[in-house]
Amino acid sequence: MVLPVHDRNPLRRTPVVTWTLIAVNVAVFVLATPLLTSVGGMSTPTPAALCQQERFFDHYGAIPKELLDNRQLPQAPTGAVAAVDPERGTVACATNRPTQRPPFEKSPALSVLTAMFLHGGWLHLLGNMLFLLVFGNNVEDRMGRLPFLVFYLVCGYAAAYGYSALTGPSTTTLIGASGAIAGVLGAYLVTFPRARVLSLLTFLFFLPVWLPAWVVLGSWFLLQYAYFSGVGVAAGGDVAYGAHVVGFVVGALIALPFVRRLRAPAHHRL
């Protein structure tokens, strides 16, 4: 509903970590997911390519059941095609037999880290990177580079495990940086609630307006919570809104005790 594109909030230092995170996310997307970046998604992927992509996401994505059990699922996609239905346009990918070992070794805890740098498409990637670019630089500026990196990763882990605890032992793969970025948004809200943010009102033909951060981020959080709680009707059923909610709350709670120090006036600003 409200798409932020720029904030009026001067910096004291170059946001090296924020830019590096964005660069790594883009590089991983382009290099590791060629199926999603080929010809802008206009070419029709082969069944074999689809099954290889499913195996890749299962290997490096986070699966709630694995996180809760701290154990890899006994069955996983092998990357081979099991069946193709031309009439329905569906593809069934093969998995290993119950008596066989999975086709790859996986650490559930480490999969949360790798999942933070995977995205399911250009819109998924660019949307996350836009929010990180607009709000991450100021949070990094006030926290410091290394503390901000640790904070980012902690929020990502909290979002993944919190979502798993809330939804139960699901076997749906979680990918994306949105849980960690939601934590950054929570920290920004409690630290700079009155900062002015240039936003596009998508429901008014992308009309640009300046809004306070508490309106932009507060409405974003309420929308995520509404979809997660079932009040709203989500446009995409594959979005882990619960991870956004958990990440946002954790980020705000971590920053809240340090708000006075984080808001300390800066004498030298970029």
Side-chain angles (χ1 to χ4, degrees), residues 231-248:
V231 177
V233 179
D238 56 349
V239 180
Y241 293 103
H244 301 172
V245 172
V246 173
F248 189 95

Side-chain angles (χ1 to χ4, degrees), residues 36-263:
L36 301 176
T37 58
S38 60
V39 198
M42 305 230 4
S43 59
T44 303
T46 64
L50 287 171
C51 290
Q52 285 292 333
Q53 191 71 75
E54 180 180 344
R55 181 182 191 268
F56 177 80
F57 281 141
D58 196 278
H59 187 178
Y60 296 104
I63 299 177
K65 183 171 176 54
E66 292 182 337
L67 299 183
L68 294 176
D69 297 340
N70 194 32
R71 185 172 61 251
Q72 181 182 354
L73 292 174
Q75 286 185 277
T78 62
V81 179
V84 178
D85 188 337
E87 294 183 359
R88 297 183 179 180
T90 58
V91 177
C93 299
T95 61
N96 62 290
R97 296 179 180 178
T99 56
Q100 298 174 324
R101 293 175 60 85
F104 49 79
E105 296 291 333
K106 179 180 181 181
S107 167
L110 185 59
S111 71
V112 178
L113 178 62
T114 54
M116 288 187 215
F117 295 93
L118 300 178
H119 291 83
W122 280 110
L123 287 179
H124 189 199
L125 172 72
L126 296 178
N128 277 347
M129 296 305 101
L130 174 62
F131 274 79
L132 179 58
L133 178 64
V134 173
F135 300 108
N137 54 6
N138 287 108
V139 178
E140 176 189 346
D141 180 57
R142 295 311 178 97
M143 285 187 174
R145 289 166 182 160
L146 182 58
F148 173 73
L149 178 60
V150 174
F151 167 81
Y152 180 90
L153 296 177
V154 167
C155 289
Y157 268 85
Y161 277 96
Y163 175 80
S164 300
L166 290 173
T167 59
S170 168
T171 57
T172 301
T173 305
L174 301 177
I175 58 172
S178 52
I181 296 173
V184 174
L185 304 186
Y188 191 103
L189 176 62
V190 299
T191 307
F192 309 107
R194 295 186 179 88
R196 308 298 290 179
V197 180
L198 179 62
S199 306
L200 304 179
L201 303 183
T202 58
F203 56 91
L204 289 177
F205 304 101
F206 294 93
L207 176 70
V209 295
W210 286 96
L211 296 171
W214 69 267
V215 172
V216 177
L217 298 179
S219 62
W220 180 88
F221 174 76
L222 291 177
L223 190 64
Q224 308 305 304
Y225 182 79
Y227 283 150
F228 174 64
S229 62
V231 177
V233 179
D238 56 349
V239 180
Y241 293 103
H244 301 172
V245 172
V246 173
F248 189 95
V249 171
V250 169
L253 291 177
I254 291 176
L256 200 56
F258 307 101
V259 162
R260 182 171 296 182
R261 182 176 68 83
L262 294 175
R263 289 179 182 172

